[in-house]
Amino acid sequence: MRVFHGPVSAGGRIGRIGRIGQSKPLFALARALPFAELAAVLTIELSPAHFLYTGPLLSPAPALAAVTMGPVGTGFVAFLAGVVSAITATVNHAWGTQEVYANLLALLVVTVASVAISLARVRRERELSRVRRIAEVSQDMVVRPVPPRLAGIRAAGVYLAAEEGAHIGGDLYEAVDTPFGVRMIVGDVRGKGLPAVRSAATVLGAFREAAQYEPDLAEVVRRCEAALRRDLSRSGAETAPGGGDAYPAEQFVTAVLAQVPDGSVVELVSRGHPPPLMLHRGEVTPLETACPLPPLGLEEFLTGPPAAVEKYPFGAGDRLLLHTDGVLEARDRDRNFFDLPAQLAGLGDAPPEELLDRLRRALAHHTRGHLADDAAMILIERDTGGGAGQDRTGHPESSPASRPGSSAESRYGGR
């Protein structure tokens, strides 16, 4: 994988953690090797050490060039090798000998094979480039960048792909502005590969549709679950190219949905997902749900009616981090887990996109650029400007944190 370099765009996708360092010096060395070989042969032949037999050293030059060059570059190296062979034969008065013609024939055979291999490699690289461009477009369609501002909320998102060269995996996130407030989802699909991507796209599609029309956040969750169940049942009979089920029977999605209405609260529904982290005045608090629920796709394990939406205080300047378990389960070389709450508390005060970039760098440093699982994060911050005490119609709204017996007061503590 590659490490993201460069500035972070506000609210956009920050990048991916990957293998630290580039192979440019090694690539340059490999590209210079055929020329160094030809120069060494020519030097030996024109020096007092010309008695050494260097003819067989010319044939490998085109093969070495084919590793890093295209057909034109490989052919050019083969031409130079032929020139060097002609020069050495002239200097040594070797024209007409069997060795010279044997060397030229070997050079011709290796050249033809090397040009063909180089041409095939270039075609594969072009095809891979097209596939990567398609993957980038797919990523933008499935996991879209988080807008930097959403109705009184500043936001940023990041997707970190564990697999080298990957642009999208089984993690998902979205943040949208709706008539009912800013709504977000962060989820993690069990498994990897195309089935995981398809499940992620199904859940995100249902969320984007339901979030705009369903006033109840719990109903949005139900719509996402129903869409996933339909997709899994429809795909259950499919067969993978190598045989077996295209979808494993135990496919499911952990997810947490959040809603930020115009009051000083945030509403949450969690389906088997790690709890979001609330950052209030430098203190980080996990928002644990009172009634844990199974992931989407495992509704048969529900022992009763789904729990109601839980509310927590979320005032001006507060921040909320929604994340997947790929962040929590990231390990260093000593197999120590990444301490996300401590890292978040120690990052200081900065805009969401900058703070999330610092968090990404800390994660890259902890894992040395090698994630074991994909990771996704959304960080939001309530603007410090007014508006927190009014609903969307402009009427005053009392904070649930001040209501006796409210979920916000009992679950997170009043401010």
Side-chain angles (χ1 to χ4, degrees):
M1 293 172 296
R2 297 171 293 175
V3 175
F4 172 84
H5 297 282
V8 178
S9 59
R13 196 164 13 261
I14 290 182
R16 287 174 289 134
I17 290 182
R19 185 173 52 207
I20 298 177
Q22 302 291 337
S23 58
K24 290 183 178 179
L26 184 61
F27 181 81
L29 179 62
R31 173 163 283 193
L33 190 57
F35 300 100
E37 181 187 25
L38 296 180
V41 170
L42 190 60
T43 300
I44 292 174
E45 291 294 339
L46 299 181
S47 70
H50 64 86
F51 58 87
L52 296 174
Y53 185 49
T54 60
L57 297 178
L58 295 175
S59 299
L64 293 174
V67 176
T68 58
M69 301 181 189
V72 176
T74 303
F76 178 69
V77 170
F79 171 76
L80 291 181
V83 171
V84 172
S85 180
I87 292 175
T88 57
T90 302
V91 170
N92 295 322
H93 307 286
W95 287 110
T97 63
Q98 183 178 0
E99 289 80 3
V100 171
Y101 297 120
N103 291 337
L104 290 176
L105 180 60
L107 179 61
L108 177 62
V109 173
V110 173
T111 297
V112 172
S114 300
V115 170
I117 293 174
S118 178
L119 183 61
R121 180 179 58 81
V122 169
R123 287 178 177 174
R124 286 197 305 269
E125 289 178 352
R126 289 175 179 172
E127 180 65 23
L128 180 59
S129 178
R130 286 194 293 269
V131 171
R132 285 175 174 170
R133 287 196 296 269
I134 294 173
E136 290 173 356
V137 174
S138 301
Q139 180 189 38
D140 289 337
M141 294 180 63
V142 177
V143 183
R144 300 181 300 200
V146 175
R149 299 193 70 86
L150 290 161
I153 297 295
R154 293 196 294 173
V158 57
Y159 192 102
L160 307 173
E163 185 176 353
E164 182 176 352
H167 290 266
I168 188 171
D171 286 5
L172 58 99
Y173 67 80
E174 180 66 289
V176 293
D177 189 14
T178 75
F180 317 104
V182 176
R183 287 177 165 176
M184 294 155 288
I185 182 173
V186 171
D188 186 1
V189 182
R190 180 198 175 277
K192 299 181 182 294
L194 291 179
V197 174
R198 182 168 170 178
S199 292
T202 298
V203 173
L204 282 174
F207 170 79
R208 289 164 182 160
E209 176 72 15
Q212 297 294 335
Y213 301 105
E214 294 292 347
D216 187 3
L217 187 63
E219 182 63 19
V220 176
V221 177
R222 193 197 67 79
R223 293 273 296 273
C224 293
E225 184 173 59
L228 179 63
R229 185 169 59 251
R230 287 194 304 269
D231 188 66
L232 293 179
S233 61
R234 183 169 57 247
S235 305
E238 293 183 1
T239 302
D245 293 337
Y247 273 73
E250 64 275 16
Q251 186 89 0
F252 59 84
V253 179
T254 67
V256 58
L257 280 76
Q259 176 174 292
V260 183
D262 291 305
S264 300
V265 297
V266 60
E267 302 174 357
L268 296 177
V269 176
S270 179
R271 297 296 300 268
H273 201 76
L277 299 178
M278 176 75 73
L279 180 60
H280 172 68
R281 297 178 182 176
E283 181 180 351
V284 177
T285 304
L287 303 185
E288 301 279 357
T289 56
C291 182
L293 298 174
L296 304 178
L298 297 180
E299 59 273 10
E300 63 269 19
F301 293 101
L302 283 171
T303 57
V309 176
E310 299 187 44
K311 298 182 180 181
Y312 306 84
F314 188 56
D318 287 348
R319 292 168 177 173
L320 183 69
L321 178 69
L322 285 71
H323 57 89
T324 60
D325 59 6
V327 183
L328 298 174
E329 297 175 358
R331 296 174 182 255
D332 60 12
R333 291 182 176 178
D334 297 327
R335 309 299 295 169
N336 297 314
F337 289 108
F338 184 70
D339 192 346
L340 181 58
Q343 290 288 344
L344 185 62
L347 289 177
D349 190 18
E353 61 272 11
E354 183 178 342
L355 195 148
L356 204 55
D357 187 38
R358 293 178 186 175
L359 189 60
R360 180 194 61 81
R361 288 194 219 130
L363 187 59
H365 177 75
H366 181 80
T367 61
R368 302 289 182 178
H370 294 278
L371 275 176
D373 191 11
D374 294 349
M377 293 180 284
I378 287 182
L379 179 67
I380 61 171
E381 178 185 14
R382 172 86 76 176
D383 273 350
T384 56
Q390 294 182 339
D391 62 20
R392 292 194 168 235
T393 63
H395 297 94
E397 178 178 279
S398 60
S399 170
S402 63
R403 301 171 189 161
S406 68
S407 174
E409 182 181 39
S410 61
R411 294 283 300 134
Y412 185 50
R415 304 249 210 272

